[in-house]
């Protein structure tokens, strides 16, 4: 029934369309991050913001954990 891994979920542009079990991933940080970035960059599409977040992740050795939301917002804003 649950086909998603328990440790992480893919960071894709379609992730908001899929149902994700509460046990699989806590999306509150991602939701806050997206909301903040959409407020700061209303001209940027959701896909463009996700692409920028993926670039931030790539530039940070493939991970976002350990970075504060404000740090991620600043780094993403530079890219956008």
């Amino acid at each position: 029934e649950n086909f998603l891994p328990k440790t992480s979920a893919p960071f894709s542009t379609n992730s908001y369309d899929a149902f994700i079990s509460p046990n699989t991933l806590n999306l509150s940080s991602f939701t806050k991050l997206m909301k903040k970035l959409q407020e700061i960059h209303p001209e940027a599409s959701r896909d463009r913001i996700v692409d920028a977040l993926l670039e931030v992740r790539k530039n940070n050795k493939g991970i976002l954990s350990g970075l504060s939301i404000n740090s991620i917002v600043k780094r993403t804003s530079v890219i956008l």
Side-chain angles (χ1 to χ4, degrees):
E1 195 172 282
N2 184 357
F3 298 108
L4 298 174
K6 293 232 180 254
T7 55
S8 65
F11 209 103
S12 78
T13 56
N14 294 328
S15 62
Y16 59 93
D17 290 331
F19 170 77
I20 298 177
S21 161
N23 296 331
T24 306
L25 178 67
N26 180 349
L27 289 179
S28 65
S29 292
F30 177 76
T31 303
K32 288 178 195 172
L33 186 58
M34 286 301 295
K35 183 177 178 183
K36 194 168 211 170
L37 286 165
Q38 287 172 324
E39 288 170 1
I40 296 169
H41 302 283
E43 76 290 350
S45 69
R46 183 179 176 90
D47 287 351
R48 178 64 189 118
I49 292 171
V50 170
D51 288 344
L53 284 167
L54 288 171
E55 192 170 331
V56 169
R57 184 176 74 173
K58 184 180 86 177
N59 294 340
N60 194 53
K61 300 177 185 173
I63 57 171
L64 289 176
S65 61
L67 295 174
S68 69
I69 287 184
N70 285 338
S71 176
I72 296 169
V73 167
K74 286 178 187 173
R75 293 177 187 203
T76 305
S77 293
V78 169
I79 293 167
L80 291 170

